[in-house]
Amino acid sequence: MPPIDLHCHTTASDGRLAPAGLVAHAAERGIEVIAVTDHDTVDGIDEALGAADVAGMRVICGIELSSVRDGRNIHVLGWFLDPRSPVLAEALVGLRAERRRRGEAIVARLNELGFELSIEQVRAEAGSAVIGRPHVARALVAAGYVASVSEAFAPDLLADGGRADVAKRVFDPVEAVRLVGAAGGVAAIAHHAVAHHAGPARGIDRALIEELRDAGMAAIEVDHPNHDPAARDAMRALAIELDLVATGGSDFHGDTGQTLGLCTTEPEALEALQERRTTAGG
Ligand code: AMP
Ligand code: MN
Ligand code: MN
Ligand code: MN
């Protein structure tokens, strides 16, 4: 069984399993190390670390920060962050508020489109999590408007650029990389070759990757469930050329059909990440 999965979500953002449930699931599957990388929050970390102690496995404090460059969503992964970093905490409070505002704007947009949905119905799905489109999608399923979350993410509805997709004010990717560093962590660009789950394949933006590396980015997520073999090969070659660590993770959300540990990180790559953190003095 593959031992290291550096990309996992919990109910602190849009995952289905609580942090302790994620750790228990990983332990059951024989996975030795996971990183909890929730969207724009580290709220799941303490529970995950506590559960990891009990299960005898290792949890890395991570995050997946939303950022936008030229209208395109760029996700930045961070690992080995100090969850108590004041500069991180301040930034995350802002992102949470922005996600709340944007959640309300998405609901207003849906109302205009004829869907009778309230922000309370979305909150019922999100609980205490930072609000994301998946919570809106689940509320649409619960209200009977669509049969599944992926149906809600149809190109003309919740998907990037869809009629009910509202942009959130977030960082530029360079700022996201710097924030990870300021919180003592190392950063990577996530699933660079795909927009998202069912999103269209997109080319590798080498100039952006070089720019982020120059801003301190340590790694690139090469192995991701939605990267095809050709994209992985190209990204692995680029990682070697640009001296970036190649990582892998399943982007696990606990949704039906998703497999924790489907994509993994080599132990040597994890060591290299830790090494770069130490070198950066974080
Ligand atoms: P948000 O962070 O609110 O912009 O929502 C983005 C999240 O929605 C991603 O992290 C995925 O978990 C989820 N997502 C994006 N596209 C899809 C899709 N086509 N089907 C299901 N979930 C998706
Ligand atoms: Mn997600
Ligand atoms: Mn992502
Ligand atoms: Mn993710």
Side-chain angles (χ1 to χ4, degrees):
M1 188 53 63
I4 304 171
D5 189 332
L6 292 187
H7 191 161
C8 307
H9 297 272
T10 76
T11 48
S13 65
D14 58 5
R16 300 271 187 179
L17 300 180
L22 172 70
V23 170
H25 184 58
E28 259 167 39
R29 293 185 56 78
I31 294 169
E32 287 166 17
V33 184
I34 57 166
V36 172
T37 53
D38 276 308
H39 299 285
D40 302 332
T41 184
V42 288
D43 285 357
I45 293 300
D46 284 345
E47 182 182 319
L49 287 174
D53 256 357
V54 177
M57 58 172 286
R58 180 170 171 210
V59 165
I60 292 166
C61 175
I63 199 163
E64 182 173 16
L65 287 170
S66 310
S67 72
V68 171
R69 169 69 66 88
D70 299 333
R72 195 172 106 182
N73 290 318
I74 307 283
H75 288 180
V76 171
L77 289 165
W79 300 288
F80 310 119
L81 303 153
D82 169 10
R84 317 257 179 259
S85 154
V87 42
L88 181 67
E90 192 188 328
L92 298 186
V93 165
L95 291 181
R96 175 179 283 270
E98 172 61 7
R99 278 179 169 277
R100 207 179 304 126
R101 179 205 67 81
R102 181 245 206 168
E104 285 165 6
I106 290 177
V107 167
R109 187 75 61 79
L110 284 168
N111 293 159
E112 283 164 24
L113 292 169
F115 298 89
E116 282 181 33
L117 199 76
S118 68
I119 190 67
E120 284 70 33
Q121 284 166 283
V122 175
R123 287 215 185 91
E125 298 295 330
S128 59
V130 291
I131 293 176
R133 278 177 285 165
H135 302 117
V136 179
R138 289 174 209 168
L140 285 172
V141 174
Y145 282 113
V146 288
S148 66
V149 165
S150 29
E151 208 178 290
F153 271 96
D156 67 343
L157 201 56
L158 274 178
D160 286 4
R163 289 176 301 164
D165 174 36
V166 175
K168 43 187 192 303
R169 282 185 296 265
V170 289
F171 299 117
D172 178 84
V174 165
E175 292 176 304
V177 165
R178 293 214 173 111
L179 178 60
V180 168
V186 292
I189 188 162
H191 50 74
H192 179 64
V194 288
H196 240 299
H197 295 231
R202 62 189 186 194
I204 292 169
D205 186 344
R206 185 196 165 106
L208 176 65
I209 291 175
E210 285 189 51
E211 185 187 345
L212 296 180
R213 180 197 61 172
D214 295 344
M217 183 172 83
I220 175 168
E221 187 180 48
V222 168
D223 288 301
H224 181 278
N226 300 94
H227 285 167
D228 63 27
R232 292 184 200 200
D233 287 348
M235 290 169 80
R236 210 179 304 281
L238 189 62
I240 291 168
E241 192 190 332
L242 298 182
D243 190 31
L244 292 164
V245 179
T247 72
S250 61
D251 207 353
F252 184 73
H253 285 74
D255 288 317
T256 322
Q258 285 193 339
T259 309
L260 187 63
L262 183 62
C263 292
T264 56
T265 297
E266 294 297 324
E268 297 72 28
L270 182 57
E271 273 170 39
L273 280 181
Q274 277 173 274
E275 181 67 28
R276 289 186 189 217
R277 180 199 187 197
T278 318
T279 321

